[in-house]
Each structure stands twice: as C-alpha cells, then as structure tokens.
Amino acid sequence: MQPLLRRSGSALLLLATLAAGVPAGAQQNSVVRENPPGAGSMAADLLVARPVGLATTVIGSAVFLVGLPFSLAGGNVAESGQALVVGPAKATFVRCLGCRNEGWRTDYGATR
C-alpha cells in the first residue's frame, strides 16, 4: 500500500506542476517597460529571486496536493491552485529577468 501511495502522490505532484504552466501559456501578456532593468537587478533576480520562486512553487504544489481533498470538499480548487501553484510559477517562469511584473517583454521580440 505504501509504494502505491507514494507513486500516486508523485504522479499528482508531477501533474500539478505540469498543469501550472498551461494557464500561463494561454494568456497573452505584453509588458513594456520604459527603462530596462539593470545588471544588478538581473543578477539578484537570477541568483536569489528565481531559486526562491522555484522553491515556493514546489512547496506550494505539495501544499496544494495535501489540501486537495479539503479544497474539493469546500469547492475552491481553482482558487487554491491559483494561489499555491500558478501564482508562484508565473512569478518564477513568466516574467523577464530583472522585471518585477509577470509577462513577456515585447521589445525582446517574444510573440506569445
């Protein structure tokens, strides 16, 4: 029973992590900044903020999975998934390096 539970938990965590990118990819955001971020803010973002965001995404996914039965009972699965998984994933993976807001920068030529 224990290996089955462990495999099921791993599969659910993988599914939640993969599903977190779907809503972010479906939206078309174009953030234009008048003044680009400097080298210091890019370095701090790369070395501090992105690893913290990744850890927050992983921990939020685990908390989401643990709380999923309660969210199902309460009828707020979408809200808890947005707050615990999608929000941190967007802040980690969707914003440009050194930027504070999510979205792709249109001056980089990214068409999303």
Side-chain angles (χ1 to χ4, degrees):
M1 182 75 174
Q2 185 73 356
L4 177 64
L5 184 62
R6 201 173 274 162
R7 277 191 233 145
S8 299
S10 297
L12 283 173
L13 180 62
L14 178 65
L15 180 65
T17 304
L18 292 175
V22 174
Q27 294 178 349
Q28 292 186 0
N29 292 334
S30 59
V31 176
V32 179
R33 293 179 51 104
E34 293 179 13
N35 50 353
S41 63
M42 286 185 179
D45 190 14
L46 181 66
L47 297 175
V48 178
R50 298 297 168 122
V52 169
L54 180 62
T56 304
T57 303
V58 171
I59 292 169
S61 299
V63 170
F64 172 74
L65 288 176
V66 169
L68 188 59
F70 305 107
S71 296
L72 285 170
N76 65 339
V77 175
E79 292 87 356
S80 64
Q82 179 71 31
L84 295 171
V85 181
V86 177
K90 282 177 69 175
T92 303
F93 298 110
V94 179
R95 63 184 172 82
C96 68
L97 191 63
C99 295
R100 294 178 188 225
N101 299 324
E102 299 131 4
W104 294 91
R105 289 181 49 162
T106 56
D107 55 345
Y108 284 157
T111 55
R112 284 198 127 204

